[in-house]
Amino acid sequence: VHSASGWTLRNWRQADLCKKIDIEVGKAGRQERRWFVNSQGQTFAVINGPVEFLMGEKTETREPKKVTLSHSFAVASHEVTVEQFQKFRRDHKHDTRYAQQTDSPVNGVSWYDAVAYCNWLNEQEDIPKDQWCYEPNDKGEYAEGMKITADFLSRTGYRLPTEDEWEFMCRAGTTSTYGFGEPVELLRSYAWYVGNSESHLWSVGMKLPNRFGAYDMHGNAFEWCHGVVKNLDYCLLRGGSFNYRSSDVRSAVRFVFRPDNRYIAYGFRPARTYHLFP
């Protein structure tokens, strides 16, 4: 209901009112509901574990696998925007040819940039350091040599969603090609992709949310997932982007790139391990 209301207000060109309401909701503190708004005005959908789902899709050589997520977690309903990221890094130079509005997904960020932002969020929320999931390298940088804590799933600090968490949020209870079902004709209502994007990113939350209240899980910006930290390894990106075809924004599609790689369509949404009720 919260996401549907936000979608309505944004499409009525009332994005500022929507933002104001979310800030006030965030000030109200923790409530007994399946979502919350943090100090940055970012809404998170909360999933109470354990949950099971079928991950992947049927191919000639592979069957979907049953995955159990035993923990509870929260995932941002929107991709991080240019405006939100520039509160963290004021000098971030996003490519305005593609991210034309400040409420477009931030673009051109590496995996290292994304995890650094997650730790910045921890600072803004006064989350104790023993709950943070990422440690900088010996030079104090988020670059090769940094570490992911071994017990990150039990820590409550902000992080990137695991691939399993991301696909669970994208599928939103479905086993179909897309989180809304099968008809590719409906994709225009839920996603920005090469068929309707006009070759640029769009403001977050303008397309319909899925059943879990998450927007832009298909298309708009690629989204980095939690993963490895050596430049010789590869990190996962999910969801496809504004300049990819309908077949490339499926729930099951996955891409891999180096964690130091930056591209016009690379973005992210934060997550955290989170218990809905104490």
Side-chain angles (χ1 to χ4, degrees), residues 76-106:
S77 63
H78 298 100
E79 295 157 334
V80 173
T81 66
V82 171
E83 178 184 14
Q84 291 166 347
F85 194 80
Q86 287 182 333
K87 290 180 180 179
F88 160 56
R89 283 187 182 164
R90 294 182 180 179
D91 60 348
H92 174 71
K93 303 297 184 183
H94 65 285
D95 195 327
T96 56
R97 293 173 300 171
Y98 304 102
Q100 299 176 356
Q101 307 294 331
T102 59
D103 61 353
S104 299
V106 66

PDB file of all heavy atoms in Angstrom, residues 76-106:
ATOM      1  N   ALA A  76      15.943  -2.101   0.102  1.00  0.00           N
ATOM      2  CA  ALA A  76      15.405  -0.796  -0.303  1.00  0.00           C
ATOM      3  C   ALA A  76      14.408  -0.952  -1.446  1.00  0.00           C
ATOM      4  O   ALA A  76      14.637  -1.721  -2.380  1.00  0.00           O
ATOM      5  CB  ALA A  76      16.537   0.136  -0.723  1.00  0.00           C
ATOM      6  N   SER A  77      13.325  -0.227  -1.370  1.00  0.00           N
ATOM      7  CA  SER A  77      12.311  -0.318  -2.420  1.00  0.00           C
ATOM      8  C   SER A  77      12.746   0.413  -3.682  1.00  0.00           C
ATOM      9  O   SER A  77      12.220   0.151  -4.763  1.00  0.00           O
ATOM     10  CB  SER A  77      10.971   0.242  -1.922  1.00  0.00           C
ATOM     11  OG  SER A  77      11.088   1.625  -1.601  1.00  0.00           O
ATOM     12  N   HIS A  78      13.718   1.332  -3.568  1.00  0.00           N
ATOM     13  CA  HIS A  78      14.234   2.074  -4.721  1.00  0.00           C
ATOM     14  C   HIS A  78      15.731   1.853  -4.873  1.00  0.00           C
ATOM     15  O   HIS A  78      16.437   1.592  -3.899  1.00  0.00           O
ATOM     16  CB  HIS A  78      14.040   3.592  -4.553  1.00  0.00           C
ATOM     17  CG  HIS A  78      12.624   4.035  -4.437  1.00  0.00           C
ATOM     18  ND1 HIS A  78      12.032   4.325  -3.240  1.00  0.00           N
ATOM     19  CD2 HIS A  78      11.689   4.267  -5.382  1.00  0.00           C
ATOM     20  CE1 HIS A  78      10.781   4.716  -3.441  1.00  0.00           C
ATOM     21  NE2 HIS A  78      10.550   4.687  -4.740  1.00  0.00           N
ATOM     22  N   GLU A  79      16.206   2.047  -6.083  1.00  0.00           N
ATOM     23  CA  GLU A  79      17.641   2.156  -6.292  1.00  0.00           C
ATOM     24  C   GLU A  79      18.121   3.487  -5.706  1.00  0.00           C
ATOM     25  O   GLU A  79      17.372   4.464  -5.666  1.00  0.00           O
ATOM     26  CB  GLU A  79      17.955   2.106  -7.794  1.00  0.00           C
ATOM     27  CG  GLU A  79      17.599   0.756  -8.411  1.00  0.00           C
ATOM     28  CD  GLU A  79      17.360   0.811  -9.917  1.00  0.00           C
ATOM     29  OE1 GLU A  79      16.981   1.880 -10.435  1.00  0.00           O
ATOM     30  OE2 GLU A  79      17.557  -0.232 -10.565  1.00  0.00           O
ATOM     31  N   VAL A  80      19.353   3.529  -5.224  1.00  0.00           N
ATOM     32  CA  VAL A  80      19.925   4.762  -4.681  1.00  0.00           C
ATOM     33  C   VAL A  80      19.982   5.810  -5.790  1.00  0.00           C
ATOM     34  O   VAL A  80      20.445   5.533  -6.898  1.00  0.00           O
ATOM     35  CB  VAL A  80      21.327   4.510  -4.105  1.00  0.00           C
ATOM     36  CG1 VAL A  80      21.992   5.827  -3.687  1.00  0.00           C
ATOM     37  CG2 VAL A  80      21.230   3.572  -2.903  1.00  0.00           C
ATOM     38  N   THR A  81      19.524   7.013  -5.498  1.00  0.00           N
ATOM     39  CA  THR A  81      19.452   8.065  -6.509  1.00  0.00           C
ATOM     40  C   THR A  81      20.726   8.912  -6.534  1.00  0.00           C
ATOM     41  O   THR A  81      21.561   8.848  -5.620  1.00  0.00           O
ATOM     42  CB  THR A  81      18.256   8.989  -6.250  1.00  0.00           C
ATOM     43  OG1 THR A  81      18.483   9.701  -5.017  1.00  0.00           O
ATOM     44  CG2 THR A  81      16.954   8.207  -6.168  1.00  0.00           C
ATOM     45  N   VAL A  82      20.848   9.717  -7.574  1.00  0.00           N
ATOM     46  CA  VAL A  82      21.959  10.660  -7.679  1.00  0.00           C
ATOM     47  C   VAL A  82      21.986  11.569  -6.450  1.00  0.00           C
ATOM     48  O   VAL A  82      23.035  11.774  -5.821  1.00  0.00           O
ATOM     49  CB  VAL A  82      21.837  11.502  -8.963  1.00  0.00           C
ATOM     50  CG1 VAL A  82      22.854  12.636  -8.972  1.00  0.00           C
ATOM     51  CG2 VAL A  82      21.994  10.625 -10.200  1.00  0.00           C
ATOM     52  N   GLU A  83      20.841  12.126  -6.095  1.00  0.00           N
ATOM     53  CA  GLU A  83      20.755  13.040  -4.953  1.00  0.00           C
ATOM     54  C   GLU A  83      21.208  12.361  -3.667  1.00  0.00           C
ATOM     55  O   GLU A  83      21.963  12.938  -2.870  1.00  0.00           O
ATOM     56  CB  GLU A  83      19.319  13.537  -4.798  1.00  0.00           C
ATOM     57  CG  GLU A  83      19.104  14.461  -3.616  1.00  0.00           C
ATOM     58  CD  GLU A  83      17.652  14.868  -3.435  1.00  0.00           C
ATOM     59  OE1 GLU A  83      16.774  14.229  -4.059  1.00  0.00           O
ATOM     60  OE2 GLU A  83      17.407  15.810  -2.672  1.00  0.00           O
ATOM     61  N   GLN A  84      20.760  11.139  -3.437  1.00  0.00           N
ATOM     62  CA  GLN A  84      21.126  10.418  -2.223  1.00  0.00           C
ATOM     63  C   GLN A  84      22.613  10.101  -2.197  1.00  0.00           C
ATOM     64  O   GLN A  84      23.267  10.238  -1.157  1.00  0.00           O
ATOM     65  CB  GLN A  84      20.295   9.144  -2.111  1.00  0.00           C
ATOM     66  CG  GLN A  84      18.833   9.405  -1.831  1.00  0.00           C
ATOM     67  CD  GLN A  84      17.948   8.195  -2.042  1.00  0.00           C
ATOM     68  OE1 GLN A  84      18.361   7.191  -2.637  1.00  0.00           O
ATOM     69  NE2 GLN A  84      16.721   8.255  -1.559  1.00  0.00           N
ATOM     70  N   PHE A  85      23.168   9.692  -3.324  1.00  0.00           N
ATOM     71  CA  PHE A  85      24.581   9.336  -3.365  1.00  0.00           C
ATOM     72  C   PHE A  85      25.462  10.568  -3.193  1.00  0.00           C
ATOM     73  O   PHE A  85      26.528  10.493  -2.571  1.00  0.00           O
ATOM     74  CB  PHE A  85      24.915   8.628  -4.682  1.00  0.00           C
ATOM     75  CG  PHE A  85      26.249   7.940  -4.681  1.00  0.00           C
ATOM     76  CD1 PHE A  85      26.408   6.701  -4.083  1.00  0.00           C
ATOM     77  CD2 PHE A  85      27.351   8.528  -5.274  1.00  0.00           C
ATOM     78  CE1 PHE A  85      27.638   6.055  -4.076  1.00  0.00           C
ATOM     79  CE2 PHE A  85      28.591   7.901  -5.278  1.00  0.00           C
ATOM     80  CZ  PHE A  85      28.737   6.649  -4.676  1.00  0.00           C
ATOM     81  N   GLN A  86      25.032  11.698  -3.706  1.00  0.00           N
ATOM     82  CA  GLN A  86      25.844  12.909  -3.594  1.00  0.00           C
ATOM     83  C   GLN A  86      25.836  13.495  -2.183  1.00  0.00           C
ATOM     84  O   GLN A  86      26.668  14.345  -1.870  1.00  0.00           O
ATOM     85  CB  GLN A  86      25.396  13.948  -4.624  1.00  0.00           C
ATOM     86  CG  GLN A  86      25.821  13.583  -6.039  1.00  0.00           C
ATOM     87  CD  GLN A  86      25.445  14.616  -7.073  1.00  0.00           C
ATOM     88  OE1 GLN A  86      24.480  15.357  -6.909  1.00  0.00           O
ATOM     89  NE2 GLN A  86      26.184  14.637  -8.179  1.00  0.00           N
ATOM     90  N   LYS A  87      24.961  13.045  -1.317  1.00  0.00           N
ATOM     91  CA  LYS A  87      25.068  13.394   0.101  1.00  0.00           C
ATOM     92  C   LYS A  87      26.276  12.695   0.706  1.00  0.00           C
ATOM     93  O   LYS A  87      26.871  13.183   1.672  1.00  0.00           O
ATOM     94  CB  LYS A  87      23.795  12.992   0.853  1.00  0.00           C
ATOM     95  CG  LYS A  87      22.581  13.829   0.514  1.00  0.00           C
ATOM     96  CD  LYS A  87      21.368  13.365   1.300  1.00  0.00           C
ATOM     97  CE  LYS A  87      20.127  14.202   0.957  1.00  0.00           C
ATOM     98  NZ  LYS A  87      18.931  13.736   1.699  1.00  0.00           N
ATOM     99  N   PHE A  88      26.622  11.552   0.138  1.00  0.00           N
ATOM    100  CA  PHE A  88      27.783  10.785   0.566  1.00  0.00           C
ATOM    101  C   PHE A  88      29.057  11.287  -0.120  1.00  0.00           C
ATOM    102  O   PHE A  88      30.069  11.528   0.535  1.00  0.00           O
ATOM    103  CB  PHE A  88      27.523   9.304   0.250  1.00  0.00           C
ATOM    104  CG  PHE A  88      28.731   8.428   0.181  1.00  0.00           C
ATOM    105  CD1 PHE A  88      29.612   8.336   1.245  1.00  0.00           C
ATOM    106  CD2 PHE A  88      28.976   7.664  -0.947  1.00  0.00           C
ATOM    107  CE1 PHE A  88      30.728   7.506   1.177  1.00  0.00           C
ATOM    108  CE2 PHE A  88      30.073   6.824  -1.022  1.00  0.00           C
ATOM    109  CZ  PHE A  88      30.961   6.754   0.042  1.00  0.00           C
ATOM    110  N   ARG A  89      28.979  11.467  -1.432  1.00  0.00           N
ATOM    111  CA  ARG A  89      30.122  11.974  -2.199  1.00  0.00           C
ATOM    112  C   ARG A  89      29.668  13.160  -3.047  1.00  0.00           C
ATOM    113  O   ARG A  89      29.095  12.987  -4.118  1.00  0.00           O
ATOM    114  CB  ARG A  89      30.690  10.882  -3.103  1.00  0.00           C
ATOM    115  CG  ARG A  89      31.529   9.861  -2.376  1.00  0.00           C
ATOM    116  CD  ARG A  89      32.192   8.909  -3.343  1.00  0.00           C
ATOM    117  NE  ARG A  89      32.960   7.911  -2.635  1.00  0.00           N
ATOM    118  CZ  ARG A  89      33.395   6.777  -3.169  1.00  0.00           C
ATOM    119  NH1 ARG A  89      33.143   6.523  -4.445  1.00  0.00           N
ATOM    120  NH2 ARG A  89      34.085   5.919  -2.451  1.00  0.00           N
ATOM    121  N   ARG A  90      29.912  14.334  -2.547  1.00  0.00           N
ATOM    122  CA  ARG A  90      29.454  15.544  -3.240  1.00  0.00           C
ATOM    123  C   ARG A  90      30.130  15.726  -4.594  1.00  0.00           C
ATOM    124  O   ARG A  90      29.581  16.376  -5.482  1.00  0.00           O
ATOM    125  CB  ARG A  90      29.709  16.766  -2.368  1.00  0.00           C
ATOM    126  CG  ARG A  90      28.874  16.786  -1.087  1.00  0.00           C
ATOM    127  CD  ARG A  90      29.118  18.035  -0.286  1.00  0.00           C
ATOM    128  NE  ARG A  90      28.319  18.053   0.931  1.00  0.00           N
ATOM    129  CZ  ARG A  90      28.354  19.031   1.832  1.00  0.00           C
ATOM    130  NH1 ARG A  90      29.154  20.078   1.645  1.00  0.00           N
ATOM    131  NH2 ARG A  90      27.604  18.960   2.918  1.00  0.00           N
ATOM    132  N   ASP A  91      31.327  15.156  -4.730  1.00  0.00           N
ATOM    133  CA  ASP A  91      32.068  15.335  -5.979  1.00  0.00           C
ATOM    134  C   ASP A  91      31.796  14.236  -6.991  1.00  0.00           C
ATOM    135  O   ASP A  91      32.459  14.174  -8.024  1.00  0.00           O
ATOM    136  CB  ASP A  91      33.572  15.410  -5.702  1.00  0.00           C
ATOM    137  CG  ASP A  91      34.108  14.145  -5.035  1.00  0.00           C
ATOM    138  OD1 ASP A  91      33.284  13.311  -4.590  1.00  0.00           O
ATOM    139  OD2 ASP A  91      35.341  13.986  -4.962  1.00  0.00           O
ATOM    140  N   HIS A  92      30.808  13.377  -6.707  1.00  0.00           N
ATOM    141  CA  HIS A  92      30.519  12.306  -7.664  1.00  0.00           C
ATOM    142  C   HIS A  92      29.988  12.898  -8.967  1.00  0.00           C
ATOM    143  O   HIS A  92      29.015  13.642  -8.977  1.00  0.00           O
ATOM    144  CB  HIS A  92      29.483  11.333  -7.098  1.00  0.00           C
ATOM    145  CG  HIS A  92      29.055  10.291  -8.096  1.00  0.00           C
ATOM    146  ND1 HIS A  92      29.881   9.273  -8.506  1.00  0.00           N
ATOM    147  CD2 HIS A  92      27.891  10.136  -8.782  1.00  0.00           C
ATOM    148  CE1 HIS A  92      29.256   8.527  -9.391  1.00  0.00           C
ATOM    149  NE2 HIS A  92      28.043   9.032  -9.581  1.00  0.00           N
ATOM    150  N   LYS A  93      30.652  12.566 -10.058  1.00  0.00           N
ATOM    151  CA  LYS A  93      30.268  13.086 -11.362  1.00  0.00           C
ATOM    152  C   LYS A  93      29.467  12.024 -12.122  1.00  0.00           C
ATOM    153  O   LYS A  93      30.029  11.173 -12.796  1.00  0.00           O
ATOM    154  CB  LYS A  93      31.513  13.476 -12.169  1.00  0.00           C
ATOM    155  CG  LYS A  93      32.405  14.503 -11.478  1.00  0.00           C
ATOM    156  CD  LYS A  93      31.682  15.832 -11.278  1.00  0.00           C
ATOM    157  CE  LYS A  93      32.620  16.863 -10.668  1.00  0.00           C
ATOM    158  NZ  LYS A  93      31.929  18.139 -10.388  1.00  0.00           N
ATOM    159  N   HIS A  94      28.163  12.068 -11.949  1.00  0.00           N
ATOM    160  CA  HIS A  94      27.333  11.124 -12.695  1.00  0.00           C
ATOM    161  C   HIS A  94      27.228  11.593 -14.145  1.00  0.00           C
ATOM    162  O   HIS A  94      27.384  12.781 -14.443  1.00  0.00           O
ATOM    163  CB  HIS A  94      25.950  10.999 -12.070  1.00  0.00           C
ATOM    164  CG  HIS A  94      25.139  12.246 -12.125  1.00  0.00           C
ATOM    165  ND1 HIS A  94      25.374  13.326 -11.311  1.00  0.00           N
ATOM    166  CD2 HIS A  94      24.092  12.606 -12.906  1.00  0.00           C
ATOM    167  CE1 HIS A  94      24.516  14.281 -11.572  1.00  0.00           C
ATOM    168  NE2 HIS A  94      23.724  13.882 -12.546  1.00  0.00           N
ATOM    169  N   ASP A  95      26.978  10.672 -15.023  1.00  0.00           N
ATOM    170  CA  ASP A  95      26.888  10.982 -16.450  1.00  0.00           C
ATOM    171  C   ASP A  95      25.496  11.520 -16.754  1.00  0.00           C
ATOM    172  O   ASP A  95      24.515  10.768 -16.802  1.00  0.00           O
ATOM    173  CB  ASP A  95      27.176   9.728 -17.281  1.00  0.00           C
ATOM    174  CG  ASP A  95      27.447  10.049 -18.746  1.00  0.00           C
ATOM    175  OD1 ASP A  95      26.842  11.016 -19.254  1.00  0.00           O
ATOM    176  OD2 ASP A  95      28.239   9.337 -19.369  1.00  0.00           O
ATOM    177  N   THR A  96      25.400  12.829 -16.942  1.00  0.00           N
ATOM    178  CA  THR A  96      24.097  13.468 -17.122  1.00  0.00           C
ATOM    179  C   THR A  96      23.447  13.148 -18.460  1.00  0.00           C
ATOM    180  O   THR A  96      22.270  13.456 -18.661  1.00  0.00           O
ATOM    181  CB  THR A  96      24.220  14.995 -16.977  1.00  0.00           C
ATOM    182  OG1 THR A  96      25.199  15.478 -17.915  1.00  0.00           O
ATOM    183  CG2 THR A  96      24.654  15.375 -15.571  1.00  0.00           C
ATOM    184  N   ARG A  97      24.173  12.537 -19.360  1.00  0.00           N
ATOM    185  CA  ARG A  97      23.539  12.089 -20.608  1.00  0.00           C
ATOM    186  C   ARG A  97      22.555  10.968 -20.319  1.00  0.00           C
ATOM    187  O   ARG A  97      21.573  10.786 -21.059  1.00  0.00           O
ATOM    188  CB  ARG A  97      24.588  11.604 -21.604  1.00  0.00           C
ATOM    189  CG  ARG A  97      25.519  12.670 -22.140  1.00  0.00           C
ATOM    190  CD  ARG A  97      26.602  12.041 -22.974  1.00  0.00           C
ATOM    191  NE  ARG A  97      27.395  11.091 -22.194  1.00  0.00           N
ATOM    192  CZ  ARG A  97      28.312  10.269 -22.708  1.00  0.00           C
ATOM    193  NH1 ARG A  97      28.525  10.261 -24.014  1.00  0.00           N
ATOM    194  NH2 ARG A  97      28.991   9.451 -21.926  1.00  0.00           N
ATOM    195  N   TYR A  98      22.801  10.229 -19.253  1.00  0.00           N
ATOM    196  CA  TYR A  98      21.973   9.057 -18.945  1.00  0.00           C
ATOM    197  C   TYR A  98      21.178   9.242 -17.651  1.00  0.00           C
ATOM    198  O   TYR A  98      20.020   8.851 -17.582  1.00  0.00           O
ATOM    199  CB  TYR A  98      22.859   7.820 -18.858  1.00  0.00           C
ATOM    200  CG  TYR A  98      23.665   7.607 -20.116  1.00  0.00           C
ATOM    201  CD1 TYR A  98      25.010   7.948 -20.180  1.00  0.00           C
ATOM    202  CD2 TYR A  98      23.058   7.122 -21.271  1.00  0.00           C
ATOM    203  CE1 TYR A  98      25.738   7.784 -21.350  1.00  0.00           C
ATOM    204  CE2 TYR A  98      23.775   6.958 -22.444  1.00  0.00           C
ATOM    205  CZ  TYR A  98      25.115   7.292 -22.479  1.00  0.00           C
ATOM    206  OH  TYR A  98      25.822   7.140 -23.640  1.00  0.00           O
ATOM    207  N   ALA A  99      21.786   9.822 -16.628  1.00  0.00           N
ATOM    208  CA  ALA A  99      21.060  10.145 -15.392  1.00  0.00           C
ATOM    209  C   ALA A  99      20.723  11.633 -15.444  1.00  0.00           C
ATOM    210  O   ALA A  99      21.477  12.481 -14.981  1.00  0.00           O
ATOM    211  CB  ALA A  99      21.911   9.819 -14.172  1.00  0.00           C
ATOM    212  N   GLN A 100      19.585  11.940 -16.029  1.00  0.00           N
ATOM    213  CA  GLN A 100      19.257  13.327 -16.336  1.00  0.00           C
ATOM    214  C   GLN A 100      18.573  14.063 -15.186  1.00  0.00           C
ATOM    215  O   GLN A 100      18.493  15.283 -15.192  1.00  0.00           O
ATOM    216  CB  GLN A 100      18.383  13.373 -17.587  1.00  0.00           C
ATOM    217  CG  GLN A 100      19.074  12.803 -18.822  1.00  0.00           C
ATOM    218  CD  GLN A 100      18.176  12.766 -20.049  1.00  0.00           C
ATOM    219  OE1 GLN A 100      16.993  13.098 -19.983  1.00  0.00           O
ATOM    220  NE2 GLN A 100      18.743  12.358 -21.182  1.00  0.00           N
ATOM    221  N   GLN A 101      18.076  13.326 -14.203  1.00  0.00           N
ATOM    222  CA  GLN A 101      17.401  13.924 -13.060  1.00  0.00           C
ATOM    223  C   GLN A 101      18.120  13.490 -11.784  1.00  0.00           C
ATOM    224  O   GLN A 101      18.707  12.411 -11.725  1.00  0.00           O
ATOM    225  CB  GLN A 101      15.930  13.467 -12.992  1.00  0.00           C
ATOM    226  CG  GLN A 101      15.152  13.679 -14.271  1.00  0.00           C
ATOM    227  CD  GLN A 101      14.968  15.133 -14.623  1.00  0.00           C
ATOM    228  OE1 GLN A 101      14.921  15.987 -13.733  1.00  0.00           O
ATOM    229  NE2 GLN A 101      14.872  15.440 -15.906  1.00  0.00           N
ATOM    230  N   THR A 102      18.037  14.311 -10.741  1.00  0.00           N
ATOM    231  CA  THR A 102      18.704  13.946  -9.490  1.00  0.00           C
ATOM    232  C   THR A 102      18.002  12.791  -8.774  1.00  0.00           C
ATOM    233  O   THR A 102      18.592  12.174  -7.883  1.00  0.00           O
ATOM    234  CB  THR A 102      18.780  15.148  -8.533  1.00  0.00           C
ATOM    235  OG1 THR A 102      17.454  15.625  -8.251  1.00  0.00           O
ATOM    236  CG2 THR A 102      19.611  16.261  -9.139  1.00  0.00           C
ATOM    237  N   ASP A 103      16.751  12.497  -9.169  1.00  0.00           N
ATOM    238  CA  ASP A 103      16.078  11.331  -8.590  1.00  0.00           C
ATOM    239  C   ASP A 103      16.148  10.125  -9.521  1.00  0.00           C
ATOM    240  O   ASP A 103      15.433   9.146  -9.342  1.00  0.00           O
ATOM    241  CB  ASP A 103      14.628  11.641  -8.212  1.00  0.00           C
ATOM    242  CG  ASP A 103      13.760  12.060  -9.394  1.00  0.00           C
ATOM    243  OD1 ASP A 103      14.308  12.240 -10.508  1.00  0.00           O
ATOM    244  OD2 ASP A 103      12.539  12.207  -9.202  1.00  0.00           O
ATOM    245  N   SER A 104      17.029  10.190 -10.521  1.00  0.00           N
ATOM    246  CA  SER A 104      17.358   9.002 -11.314  1.00  0.00           C
ATOM    247  C   SER A 104      18.301   8.128 -10.494  1.00  0.00           C
ATOM    248  O   SER A 104      18.987   8.625  -9.589  1.00  0.00           O
ATOM    249  CB  SER A 104      18.055   9.399 -12.617  1.00  0.00           C
ATOM    250  OG  SER A 104      17.246  10.212 -13.417  1.00  0.00           O
ATOM    251  N   PRO A 105      18.393   6.831 -10.801  1.00  0.00           N
ATOM    252  CA  PRO A 105      19.386   6.006 -10.113  1.00  0.00           C
ATOM    253  C   PRO A 105      20.784   6.562 -10.355  1.00  0.00           C
ATOM    254  O   PRO A 105      21.101   6.996 -11.466  1.00  0.00           O
ATOM    255  CB  PRO A 105      19.229   4.632 -10.769  1.00  0.00           C
ATOM    256  CG  PRO A 105      17.865   4.632 -11.366  1.00  0.00           C
ATOM    257  CD  PRO A 105      17.602   6.054 -11.773  1.00  0.00           C
ATOM    258  N   VAL A 106      21.613   6.581  -9.318  1.00  0.00           N
ATOM    259  CA  VAL A 106      22.992   6.983  -9.518  1.00  0.00           C
ATOM    260  C   VAL A 106      23.634   5.990 -10.483  1.00  0.00           C
ATOM    261  O   VAL A 106      23.337   4.800 -10.459  1.00  0.00           O
ATOM    262  CB  VAL A 106      23.758   7.039  -8.176  1.00  0.00           C
ATOM    263  CG1 VAL A 106      23.905   5.666  -7.548  1.00  0.00           C
ATOM    264  CG2 VAL A 106      25.097   7.717  -8.349  1.00  0.00           C
TER     265      VAL A 106
END
